[in-house]
């Protein structure tokens, strides 16, 4: 299993729109590419001081 982590930050006022962009456009675009071994992507969100932090975890399995 391979896992890829990505971190992003945004202002609290932009956080809901940013999450929508990730879920509705970015994640769907990745899934539609049918990348060999792609097993899914998860999104984590938390307040981080004066920003909101986003972490994505994308998983890949072996391709045979």
């Amino acid at each position: 299993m391979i896992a890829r982590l990505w971190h992003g930050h945004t202002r609290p006022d932009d956080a809901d729109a940013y999450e929508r962009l990730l879920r509705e456009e970015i994640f769907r675009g990745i899934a539609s590419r049918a990348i060999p071994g792609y097993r899914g992507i998860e999104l984590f969100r938390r307040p981080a001081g004066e920003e909101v932090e986003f972490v994505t975890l994308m998983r890949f399995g072996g391709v045979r």
Side-chain angles (χ1 to χ4, degrees):
M1 173 77 59
I2 296 171
R4 180 180 183 273
L5 282 175
W6 174 86
H7 297 262
H9 300 268
T10 190
R11 298 180 324 186
D13 291 347
D14 296 328
D16 289 340
Y18 190 62
E19 182 172 348
R20 274 192 306 278
L21 172 72
L22 288 170
R23 290 188 186 279
E24 296 174 9
E25 294 184 37
I26 305 299
F27 293 176
R28 287 180 185 176
I30 291 168
S32 72
R33 296 174 78 190
I35 299 166
Y38 176 71
R39 298 288 185 255
I41 190 166
E42 295 178 72
L43 177 64
F44 303 92
R45 172 181 169 168
R46 71 178 182 142
E50 294 183 15
E51 297 180 317
V52 176
E53 178 184 20
F54 289 86
V55 176
T56 63
L57 175 64
M58 191 178 336
R59 295 177 326 272
F60 297 88
V63 179
R64 296 179 184 199

